Amino acid sequence: MQLTPMAPKCGVEVSGVSLANCTDAEMDNIRTTIYEHGVAVFRDQEFSPEDHITFGKRWGGVDVNKYFPISDDFPEIALVKKEADESTNIGGAWHTDHSYDQIPAMGSVLVARDLPPSGGDTQWAHMGAAYDALPDDLKAEIEGLSAFHTADHVYKEDGLYAQTDMGKNLRGQHVRTGATHPVVIRHPQTGRKLLYVNGGFTINFVGQTREESLPLLQRLLDAAVMDDNQCRLQWKPGTVAIWDNRTSWHNALNDYAGHRREMHRITLSGEPLAA
Ligand code: OGA
Ligand code: MN
């Protein structure tokens, strides 16, 4: 397995491994790689839906996203798709997946199935690098703070998606979520300090209202996506990305109007988070 950085602080491209046939040692290597770098990208993979599910189960538990459409034939596979005549995409703002769960998903294995002729890239940002770059006074201010996360405003009957043309495709409008996590977590495996608030699902700091929380929250969100924390992936047929939701945030670019994009996602189970 060879690792090539995608950017100075986030992401690596991994070559010399076939995900559908990898050994246990390679699997362990991939785990360590994404824990550290946030996302790993694999090119030219032959990776059928069956291979995708087998790989996810080998990794550990599989979570099923409560909102995304699921494949009829493969209920473990969430469909992240936008039709040519639709305008709103899934994941089109900086976020990390499932932080609204008290035991959030560790990460995802995303496979490109149908790509637009150009555009539809995905960006990731490294939350260890983001934390390290915070000024000392900001680090001191968030020490010991926790925050409340939910997805209700995004997915409920009259939520953000319901007001768009993606609303009709989603499930789970009646699901209610809520979780509390430290603002700075330690990565469960590497021990690295990571900023763990995000613009998608973090509402307020515990003990403060939304209004009281917003100025500090906004400072953190702005600091988290400074350019040199980021990497960007141009998908091709056969590209697979595996990311760690604790180490990284991601953002799906929506710049391919008039074209279809379909990705298959398997969500990997995680563990409780601690400061
Ligand atoms: C996701 C997501 C990014 C993309 O699957 O969680 O945000 O580029 N997708 O489709
Ligand atoms: Mn996402």
Side-chain angles (χ1 to χ4, degrees):
M1 257 171 62
Q2 293 85 46
L3 308 186
T4 311
M6 295 168 70
K9 294 182 184 168
C10 189
V12 284
E13 202 162 312
V14 181
S15 58
V17 62
S18 163
L19 293 175
N21 309 296
C22 68
T23 63
D24 289 344
E26 285 171 330
M27 189 101 181
D28 285 344
N29 230 323
I30 296 167
R31 284 181 217 275
T32 317
T33 301
I34 70 155
Y35 294 158
E36 191 180 329
H37 298 279
V39 56
V41 169
F42 304 80
R43 300 290 193 182
D44 302 317
Q45 296 291 314
E46 293 206 8
F47 204 53
S48 67
E50 290 86 351
D51 292 334
H52 195 182
I53 291 169
T54 304
F55 183 87
K57 289 187 173 160
R58 265 185 80 191
W59 187 286
V62 168
D63 284 4
V64 175
N65 180 282
K66 301 188 232 341
Y67 308 107
F68 297 174
I70 45 178
S71 155
D72 287 339
D73 300 330
F74 304 102
E76 294 92 343
I77 295 182
L79 303 175
V80 179
K81 70 180 165 87
K82 186 173 88 119
E83 298 298 339
D85 64 353
E86 292 177 336
S87 57
T88 305
N89 70 338
I90 291 178
W94 282 108
H95 66 283
T96 197
D97 298 334
H98 295 208
S99 72
Y100 47 79
D101 287 333
Q102 198 58 58
I103 303 182
M106 188 289 299
S108 280
V109 182
L110 192 70
V111 183
R113 295 295 181 203
D114 189 14
L115 293 171
S118 67
D121 293 0
T122 307
Q123 297 173 294
W124 282 265
H126 198 293
M127 289 304 115
Y131 176 79
D132 291 349
L134 294 178
D136 285 343
D137 62 324
L138 200 45
K139 282 184 181 154
E141 207 176 328
I142 59 178
E143 186 73 34
L145 270 188
S146 291
F148 175 73
H149 301 238
T150 178
D152 293 356
H153 60 296
V154 178
Y155 296 110
K156 67 182 180 182
E157 302 82 344
D158 56 351
L160 295 175
Y161 274 118
Q163 296 165 42
T164 73
D165 63 351
M166 186 53 67
K168 65 185 185 312
N169 303 335
L170 298 177
R171 305 177 296 125
Q173 282 86 351
H174 302 286
V175 171
R176 291 294 174 267
T177 56
T180 300
H181 306 290
V183 168
V184 181
I185 58 165
R186 291 238 178 222
H187 191 281
Q189 283 78 34
T190 68
R192 184 164 177 185
K193 281 187 159 186
L194 307 166
L195 189 60
Y196 196 75
V197 287
N198 70 86
F201 306 118
T202 311
I203 307 297
N204 60 280
F205 299 112
V206 172
Q208 302 179 23
T209 63
R210 167 83 174 159
E211 215 170 42
E212 289 161 350
S213 304
L214 267 179
L216 175 58
L217 187 57
Q218 197 55 51
R219 276 175 79 197
L220 295 173
L221 300 182
D222 291 345
V225 290
M226 290 190 320
D227 276 351
D228 71 344
N229 293 343
Q230 296 177 31
C231 65
R232 177 167 174 155
L233 170 63
Q234 196 180 350
W235 297 88
K236 293 177 191 147
T239 303
V240 178
I242 308 178
W243 70 81
D244 180 326
N245 281 320
R246 294 80 52 93
T247 306
S248 61
W249 287 2
H250 56 279
N251 177 27
L253 298 177
N254 189 7
D255 56 356
Y256 50 95
H259 298 281
R260 188 172 192 279
R261 180 177 185 269
E262 177 171 334
M263 317 294 276
H264 280 184
R265 183 176 116 185
I266 285 195
T267 312
L268 303 167
S269 311
E271 57 238 271
L273 302 173

